[in-house]
Amino acid sequence: MNSFTEENYLKAIYKLSLSSGGVVNTNQIALQVNTKAATVTDMLKKLSDKNYILYQKYQGVTLTEAGKKIAIHIVRKHRLWEVFLVEKLNFKWDEVHDIAEQLEHIRSDELIDELDKFLEFPAFDPHGDPIPDKHGKITELTSVPLASVKHKGKLVFSGVEDHSKAFLQYLSKTGITLGDTITLNEIIDYDKSVEISIKNKKMFLSHEAAKNILVEKI
Amino acid sequence: MNSFTEENYLKAIYKLSLSSGGVVNTNQIALQVNTKAATVTDMLKKLSDKNYILYQKYQGVTLTEAGKKIAIHIVRKHRLWEVFLVEKLNFKWDEVHDIAEQLEHIRSDELIDELDKFLEFPAFDPHGDPIPDKHGKITELTSVPLASVKHKGKLVFSGVEDHSKAFLQYLSKTGITLGDTITLNEIIDYDKSVEISIKNKKMFLSHEAAKNILVEKI
DNA sequence: AAATAAATTTAGACTGATCTAAATCCATTT
DNA sequence: AAATGGATTTAGATCAGTCTAAATTTATTT
Ligand SMILES: [Mn+2]
Ligand SMILES: [Mn+2]
Ligand SMILES: [Mn+2]
Ligand SMILES: [Mn+2]
């Protein structure tokens, strides 16, 4: 059996590998799991011994199929629990992450599959992230940061890049909800901030905020 | 913060103290938490330092109010999760204990109080055990083992002493359900087995089984 | 290609939870 | 009151996960 710690490292490596295109470095992992590089090195040896990662000193790591499978299973559990908390227990989308960090380590395949059924097989979690199915199949998001959109027009708010409480609460305050149509009215040259409309309301968003808002083109 | 291990020791001491009338010994705890006496001694020192128990070498331990409060909170979580698993996720009463052993350590008061509300504040868990309220108030069972009943007559099946899968599955097979009326027809002198009726069906139960079936007189 | 800086690993240490074996305490029996 | 045996504690060790400081490797700059 894998420890919670091992599961957290695998999840971190998986997450980092999505943006870095496969190879993940020691320092990135240390940052992600909130520990020191020396500690990470020890763990990489262990994960490598268990054949969850390919590891060569100084060269970074990649997940093996076995490691990826475990990581995705943890992600599945995390996101299903988040849906449960929001849909059934009245939590807000900015309140669920820390609890899901704990619940994702509960071990029982039957539990998680029954939960999935109880929630009626949701495709996305409260932050717009896709939920892997019981076979580990996950349809990665095709959405892009609002800050990267070059042309004015209609978009759908489909997810967030930054999952921090502060950012999520800020979005709630603006009134934006997942699935809303966003119209990109203008991109300000000066500071790359953007003017958008949602529900006939106009507002400005900083470049920083726009980087963390994911949209789908329609 | 207390570790899972500390929580398990406190829960074990609480459980043992209910039957032993307060004082609990090292070996009993070792048996309950499935470890060795030497390990227990180490933990008792730690729990004593934290003022969760009163401990004097060789004299056994008692829970302090602080320790009892923590233990009861764990019991509350355990039993609420068991209700959730049975009522919402279609688990059988013999399948929930091990999962609840994990879920009872999830830390979030808001989570457990919301779960309580979602379940509509159940008073008993799937095994008939009372669920402490959010203030730690618990109405201890007044039920007695069927084996201790001296007179023939009607009784209500209100709980089990033995929570093992084997015993629970055996009861399911007999068709007895919590809340059923049991009529005690006869106590066999020879081996202390009993003849009962439930739903017009007669059956014999061994003394061993009768010891583990809890009933209320009506 | 050498110097320098950054990233990574190694060495050595600590803590919490566990174990076995040995020592000690206590209750019961003679 | 001494002997005995069971319960309990102490001593010493191990393992996982973590740290700091030092050594090493790799990448970047001159
Ligand atoms: Mn999350
Ligand atoms: Mn999420
Ligand atoms: Mn249970
Ligand atoms: Mn129960």
Side-chain angles (χ1 to χ4, degrees):
Chain A
M1 215 26 25
N2 309 306
S3 66
F4 286 15
T5 310
E6 288 169 323
E7 291 184 347
N8 283 333
Y9 274 86
L10 289 173
K11 186 174 57 132
I13 295 168
Y14 174 69
K15 184 179 177 184
L16 293 167
S17 74
L18 290 180
S19 30
S20 73
V23 178
V24 179
N25 303 312
T26 303
N27 269 350
Q28 299 178 311
I29 299 169
L31 203 70
Q32 185 72 31
V33 303
N34 203 21
T35 185
K36 298 297 153 76
T39 308
V40 173
T41 300
D42 286 344
M43 182 56 82
L44 294 183
K45 283 175 197 157
K46 202 196 308 187
L47 295 175
S48 179
D49 287 347
K50 288 189 166 191
N51 291 311
Y52 295 150
I53 59 173
L54 300 174
Y55 171 51
Q56 300 200 81
K57 277 203 237 180
Y58 299 99
Q59 304 306 301
V61 298
T62 50
L63 286 176
T64 62
E65 277 308 306
K68 189 174 169 187
K69 191 175 167 195
I70 294 168
I72 288 177
H73 187 52
I74 305 293
V75 167
R76 167 171 162 81
K77 291 194 279 183
H78 183 105
R79 293 179 182 169
L80 280 173
W81 281 116
E82 285 191 343
V83 173
F84 170 70
L85 294 172
V86 168
E87 297 295 320
K88 304 293 182 181
L89 299 194
N90 305 310
F91 281 83
K92 304 289 182 301
W93 75 338
D94 58 288
E95 300 170 328
V96 296
H97 183 75
D98 291 348
I99 302 176
E101 284 292 304
Q102 299 179 61
L103 286 164
E104 72 189 6
H105 299 291
I106 302 292
R107 277 177 243 280
S108 166
D109 288 345
E110 202 183 353
L111 168 62
I112 207 66
D113 292 339
E114 284 293 331
L115 181 65
D116 199 7
K117 192 199 294 177
F118 181 60
L119 300 172
E120 299 176 83
F121 306 104
F124 300 98
D125 87 356
H127 312 106
D129 293 310
I131 299 175
D133 73 11
K134 64 188 298 183
H135 307 296
K137 193 163 170 183
I138 177 169
T139 41
E140 286 299 345
L141 245 42
T142 58
S143 51
V144 297
L146 174 58
S148 76
V149 178
K150 296 284 179 293
H151 304 290
K152 299 171 188 175
K154 292 197 169 189
L155 304 159
V156 175
F157 173 37
S158 62
V160 292
E161 188 67 41
D162 178 0
H163 290 61
S164 73
K165 199 159 188 146
F167 183 62
L168 296 176
Q169 283 179 349
Y170 160 65
L171 287 187
S172 297
K173 204 174 308 176
T174 67
I176 305 184
T177 310
L178 230 55
D180 282 356
T181 298
I182 294 181
T183 310
L184 178 56
N185 300 325
E186 209 176 342
I187 303 167
I188 315 295
D189 233 40
Y190 170 61
D191 61 358
K192 297 189 195 153
S193 67
V194 294
E195 198 215 62
I196 62 170
S197 327
I198 14 159
K199 299 168 183 157
N200 302 320
K201 224 175 64 182
K202 285 187 181 179
M203 68 176 77
F204 284 93
L205 294 174
S206 69
H207 180 61
E208 193 54 35
K211 276 196 294 187
N212 288 308
I213 290 174
L214 301 178
V215 295
E216 298 270 3
K217 290 170 191 174
I218 38 179
Chain B
M1 212 32 16
N2 309 308
S3 67
F4 285 17
T5 310
E6 289 168 325
E7 291 184 346
N8 283 334
Y9 275 86
L10 289 173
K11 186 173 56 129
I13 295 168
Y14 174 69
K15 184 178 177 185
L16 293 167
S17 73
L18 289 182
S19 30
S20 74
V23 179
V24 179
N25 304 311
T26 303
N27 267 352
Q28 298 178 312
I29 299 169
L31 202 69
Q32 185 73 29
V33 303
N34 203 22
T35 184
K36 298 298 154 78
T39 309
V40 173
T41 300
D42 284 344
M43 181 56 81
L44 294 183
K45 283 176 196 156
K46 200 193 311 184
L47 294 176
S48 179
D49 287 347
K50 289 189 165 193
N51 291 311
Y52 295 150
I53 59 173
L54 300 175
Y55 171 53
Q56 300 201 83
K57 277 202 233 179
Y58 298 102
Q59 304 305 304
V61 299
T62 48
L63 285 176
T64 62
E65 277 308 308
K68 191 174 167 187
K69 193 175 166 195
I70 294 168
I72 288 177
H73 187 52
I74 306 294
V75 168
R76 168 170 161 81
K77 291 194 280 182
H78 183 104
R79 293 179 182 169
L80 280 172
W81 280 115
E82 285 190 344
V83 173
F84 171 70
L85 293 172
V86 168
E87 297 295 319
K88 303 294 183 181
L89 299 194
N90 306 309
F91 281 83
K92 304 289 181 299
W93 74 338
D94 58 288
E95 300 170 327
V96 297
H97 182 76
D98 290 349
I99 302 176
E101 284 291 305
Q102 299 180 61
L103 286 164
E104 72 188 6
H105 300 292
I106 302 293
R107 276 175 243 279
S108 166
D109 287 344
E110 203 182 352
L111 168 61
I112 208 67
D113 292 340
E114 285 292 332
L115 181 64
D116 199 7
K117 192 198 295 177
F118 181 58
L119 299 172
E120 300 175 80
F121 306 104
F124 300 98
D125 88 353
H127 312 106
D129 293 309
I131 299 175
D133 74 12
K134 65 188 298 184
H135 307 295
K137 193 163 167 184
I138 177 170
T139 41
E140 286 299 346
L141 244 44
T142 58
S143 51
V144 296
L146 174 58
S148 75
V149 178
K150 295 283 179 292
H151 302 291
K152 298 172 189 176
K154 291 198 169 189
L155 303 159
V156 175
F157 174 36
S158 62
V160 292
E161 189 67 42
D162 179 359
H163 290 63
S164 73
K165 200 160 189 146
F167 183 61
L168 296 175
Q169 283 179 349
Y170 161 64
L171 287 187
S172 297
K173 203 174 308 175
T174 66
I176 306 184
T177 310
L178 231 53
D180 282 356
T181 298
I182 293 181
T183 311
L184 178 56
N185 300 326
E186 208 175 344
I187 304 168
I188 314 295
D189 233 40
Y190 170 61
D191 61 357
K192 296 187 195 154
S193 66
V194 295
E195 198 216 61
I196 62 170
S197 326
I198 14 159
K199 300 167 185 158
N200 305 317
K201 224 175 65 183
K202 287 187 181 177
M203 68 176 79
F204 284 93
L205 295 174
S206 68
H207 180 62
E208 193 53 36
K211 276 196 294 187
N212 287 308
I213 291 174
L214 300 178
V215 295
E216 298 269 4
K217 289 167 191 175
I218 35 179

